[in-house]
Amino acid sequence: MSDTSVSTTRTTPDEEWVDPRTVTRIGVLMANGQLAPREFITREEAEAWAQPGEDVVEWNLVCECDR
C-alpha cells in the first residue's frame, strides 16, 4: 500500500486565487540567443530596455503554452 499526499494551496478570504497557467514572465531574448539576466514588470518596460536585434518574449513557468 502506498502513501500518497496531496499538496493544496490555500488562500485567505482577502486573497483572490490566480490560475498559474495565466501567469507569464516578460524578458528580453538578446542577440546572442540568451535571455537577459532580468525580468520586467511590463512589456513596454522590456521593449524600452531591449537593444536593436533583441526580442521581447513572454513565457509561462507552469506550462509550455505560448502566448
Side-chain angles (χ1 to χ4, degrees):
M1 182 175 219
S2 66
D3 182 20
T4 306
S5 63
V6 177
S7 175
T8 58
T9 302
R10 304 206 186 263
T11 59
T12 60
D14 58 330
E15 292 179 320
E16 184 176 327
W17 183 80
V18 175
D19 186 346
R21 295 171 295 179
T22 64
V23 178
T24 58
R25 308 285 179 155
I26 303 169
V28 172
L29 184 62
M30 298 184 300
N32 65 3
Q34 296 181 345
L35 283 172
R38 61 172 289 185
E39 293 178 7
F40 300 89
I41 302 298
T42 65
R43 187 171 186 87
E44 291 77 20
E45 180 185 5
E47 288 170 352
W49 188 86
Q51 300 294 310
E54 298 179 338
D55 296 314
V56 174
V57 294
E58 295 183 42
W59 69 95
N60 180 291
L61 298 177
V62 176
C63 65
E64 294 184 32
C65 29
D66 296 333
R67 283 182 85 168

